[in-house]
Structures are given as C-alpha cells and as structure tokens.
Amino acid sequence: PLEYILQNVLFLSINDIDGTSITFNNGQKDYVFSYESGDADNKDDDVYKQGDKEVDDKKFRDLWYQMTCIAPERILTEKVSTSDMEAVYTIFADRNKEDYYGDITVRFIKYDATYYQVEINGVTDMVMRKKEVDDFFKALTEFAEDNLQN
C-alpha cells in the first residue's frame, strides 16, 4: 500500500525560503539562491537572486520544479549509516519556518553504479536514479555559471 503514496525527496515550496536562501553544492562549488516575495497580488515584483544578483525568475522556477519532482526509485529496507560517507551533491534549505522539519539538508551519496542513496536531515531510507540527479545538478550548474558570467 505504501507504493501508492506520493513520495518526493525534496517537496519544498518556494515560499519556504522566502526571505532566506537555498544552497546547492555540485561537489565542487556552492551556489546560493534566495527568493523574496513582493506584493501578494502581483507576482511580477517577486525577486529571485543568486548571491546579490537577480536571476531570471522563470528559469529559476523551472529548475525548482525539476528539483521537487525528483522521486525516489525505491525505499531501502536495510538501514545503512551514511554519516561518514562523502556526499556527491548537497542541498541546504534555510527555511523560514520553525516547525517540525526546520532547515533541510539533503545529501546524495554514491550507492552503486545506478543509484544515489539519499540522506535527508540525517535519515537515509531511499535511493534515486543517478541520471535524474546528475541531470538536475548539471542544469543547475549551467544556470548558475551563466548568471555569474552575465
């Protein structure tokens, strides 16, 4: 019955980082993005930034959507400690909410040739296809590097 429940690795609303930031590490470099909402009736005054520089809001939202749609391939039944393992990629969301979840750290750790094991706030119980994760981080890196050059 659990296979019928929607599962996402990082189901995070853009509003969760309103006034704070999200950091992506592609294994080599940190990219820090932020979002500040404007007037609730006018989405045109929302501001998306990489560091101090404004970025294309549509492209950023498209990447955000791609990130939140990455779904686990399967749930692990065996528990494996990943605390001593190095992450290939990391996402850190400095959430503006003080709730059960708090800030969120997602680490993608090499599992085998096909999968990454995913650790969310220290808990690891799922694997994801490497290709989906690699494709996301490639697109994110290209977007971020383009912003740095322009």
Side-chain angles (χ1 to χ4, degrees):
L2 290 177
E3 55 270 1
Y4 298 108
I5 297 173
L6 176 65
Q7 297 173 351
N8 292 77
V9 170
L10 189 58
F11 192 72
L12 184 67
S13 166
I14 190 81
N15 294 324
D16 287 354
I17 65 159
D18 187 0
T20 63
S21 65
I22 187 163
T23 303
F24 299 92
N25 181 286
N26 67 358
Q28 300 173 343
K29 188 173 184 179
D30 284 344
Y31 298 103
V32 180
F33 294 90
S34 61
Y35 161 74
E36 293 177 19
S37 63
D39 183 0
D41 296 328
N42 181 7
K43 291 292 181 195
D44 290 338
D45 62 351
D46 292 352
V47 177
Y48 299 82
K49 291 183 176 181
Q50 178 180 349
D52 293 331
K53 186 177 180 184
E54 284 192 40
V55 298
D56 182 289
D57 61 327
K58 182 182 179 331
K59 288 181 183 177
F60 183 77
R61 286 191 318 259
D62 288 349
L63 277 169
W64 191 274
Y65 179 74
Q66 182 183 354
M67 173 190 71
T68 60
C69 288
I70 299 174
E73 180 71 20
R74 72 174 195 263
I75 303 299
L76 297 173
T77 54
E78 73 280 0
K79 298 298 179 200
V80 178
S81 174
T82 56
S83 60
D84 293 337
M85 301 172 113
E86 190 170 323
V88 176
Y89 304 117
T90 305
I91 299 172
F92 175 73
D94 181 11
R95 293 178 68 237
N96 60 12
K97 299 183 186 286
E98 297 201 20
D99 57 12
Y100 172 80
Y101 301 103
D103 294 339
I104 297 174
T105 300
V106 180
R107 296 182 345 123
F108 299 90
I109 300 156
K110 186 174 180 179
Y111 183 75
D112 61 23
T114 306
Y115 298 106
Y116 287 119
Q117 187 165 349
V118 182
E119 178 192 277
I120 303 170
N121 286 355
V123 176
T124 177
D125 61 359
M126 62 184 84
V127 293
M128 298 179 64
R129 287 200 175 276
K130 285 178 72 174
K131 179 166 181 10
E132 288 183 54
V133 177
D134 290 343
D135 287 351
F136 166 72
F137 273 93
K138 181 181 180 207
L140 173 89
T141 300
E142 288 172 359
F143 174 73
E145 287 298 323
D146 284 349
N147 288 326
L148 291 175
Q149 293 175 8
N150 294 327

